[in-house]
Amino acid sequence: MLDWLTEHKIPVGQAASDVFDWIRDNGDPLLDALAAAMELLIDAILWVLQTPNPLIVIAAFVALTWVLQRNWKICVFVLLGFLFVLNQDYWEETTESLTLVLSACVVCMAVGVPIGIFCAHHPKVYAALRPVLDLMQTLPTFVYLIPAIVFFGIGMVPGLIATVIFVLPAPIRLTYLGVSSTPASLIEAARAFGATPSQTLVKVELPYAFPQIMAGLNQTIMLSLSMVVIAALVGADGLGVPVVRALNQVNTRLGFESGFVIVVVAIILDRMLNLGGRKS
């Protein structure tokens, strides 16, 4: 019985392989355009982070933290965190990882927020999309690297694509949750005063959903940062490279240095965007 069952298995892997082969054979123009756009975005962010003196970039991050948080203690923490990165001589790797994170944020929020809004207004679409989102979040992240390599080779672009696929469900889900939980009384009041659907969205639903959307941005950043080590396996630069090197060499010192820098960067970004803790 068991032999018969294994001999007649459902061809899940073969079906996926056929789909990827078809995309590779027929989607070259689209894939080339996507790769060019992603590479342009990566190069632009990397230029902004690496061209100025590191102290200028750190000052800009501290100023942004003050604008977002209005809390001098968090600003001091961000300053000390980045100075620690400089002290450990990981500034270049950190800017490369931040480039990957920020690029993923731009793509995920630009795609995820509109999809979340659309799903909030079309519950049946969200019901159909939920299994796909579940699959994207639960499928082992290493699996994403295979089609990324097949379609885009090695480098920052496949790392970014794999990161986006893994992270995209977060802004979609949280935007959907925020918009769909807008009280019906607020929407009815807006309509009673003659608001159009677009005005209701901009002036009622999005302001009400803003905390959830920001939570989606925070999750996007944290999940993207968790992918830096995995992205390094497909040639993406950043803090994942020394971690992978330390693993290959069984180098405890290098592993703890780079790992601790990743933790510091993650905490810095989390504190910067934790708008729930802002004190006006």
Side-chain angles (χ1 to χ4, degrees):
M1 177 65 180
L2 290 178
D3 292 339
W4 180 89
L5 191 62
T6 54
E7 289 173 0
H8 296 81
K9 66 179 183 180
I10 300 172
V12 175
Q14 185 59 48
S17 178
D18 292 341
V19 170
F20 290 132
D21 288 343
W22 184 89
I23 294 174
R24 183 185 57 190
D25 295 338
N26 298 277
D28 277 346
L30 178 60
L31 294 175
D32 291 344
L34 180 61
M38 295 298 100
E39 191 167 356
L40 183 63
L41 176 63
I42 290 169
D43 290 343
I45 296 177
L46 197 59
W47 183 87
V48 170
L49 293 177
Q50 288 190 342
T51 301
N53 185 282
L55 295 178
I56 296 176
V57 178
I58 293 174
F61 272 104
V62 173
L64 178 61
T65 303
W66 174 255
V67 171
L68 294 175
Q69 299 294 338
R70 301 290 180 178
N71 188 320
W72 68 268
K73 294 180 181 178
I74 298 178
C75 293
V76 170
F77 175 80
V78 170
L79 174 63
L80 294 178
F82 278 122
L83 289 178
F84 172 79
V85 171
L86 274 178
N87 172 261
Q88 296 297 302
D89 196 22
Y90 279 92
W91 180 252
E92 183 177 351
E93 292 86 352
T94 298
T95 55
E96 291 166 346
S97 290
L98 286 174
T99 296
L100 182 64
V101 170
L102 294 175
S103 300
C105 286
V106 171
V107 176
C108 289
M109 297 305 288
V111 175
V113 171
I115 292 177
I117 293 172
F118 183 81
C119 289
H121 293 125
H122 301 83
K124 291 183 179 179
V125 174
Y126 183 71
L129 194 60
R130 276 185 65 182
V132 179
L133 299 179
D134 292 339
L135 179 66
M136 291 169 67
Q137 284 190 307
T138 56
L139 197 67
T141 50
F142 288 97
V143 177
Y144 298 138
L145 301 182
I146 301 172
I149 294 173
V150 171
F151 296 149
F152 303 103
I154 60 174
M156 291 288 279
V157 172
L160 174 59
I161 296 298
T163 301
V164 167
I165 295 173
F166 175 65
V167 175
L168 186 58
I172 293 177
R173 289 183 188 276
L174 287 166
T175 301
Y176 165 81
L177 178 63
V179 175
S180 62
S181 62
T182 305
S185 57
L186 291 179
I187 297 176
E188 290 173 0
R191 290 174 178 170
F193 281 98
T196 63
S198 59
Q199 290 174 328
T200 302
L201 172 64
V202 173
K203 296 184 178 181
V204 178
E205 293 177 323
L206 288 182
Y208 188 86
F210 182 74
Q212 293 289 348
I213 294 174
M214 289 305 300
L217 176 60
N218 190 290
Q219 286 296 304
T220 298
I221 290 175
M222 294 299 106
L223 291 172
S224 299
L225 198 55
S226 73
M227 286 287 290
V228 296
V229 176
I230 297 174
L233 297 176
V234 293
D237 298 324
L239 291 168
V241 174
V243 173
V244 173
R245 189 184 305 127
L247 180 62
N248 292 333
Q249 300 174 355
V250 196
N251 189 329
T252 305
R253 180 191 62 80
L254 181 61
F256 271 86
E257 273 184 3
S258 52
F260 199 74
V261 170
I262 292 175
V263 171
V264 170
V265 173
I267 296 174
I268 288 173
L269 295 177
D270 180 68
R271 296 299 183 270
M272 285 180 62
L273 292 167
N274 183 21
L275 296 186
R278 172 176 170 172
K279 295 181 181 179
S280 301

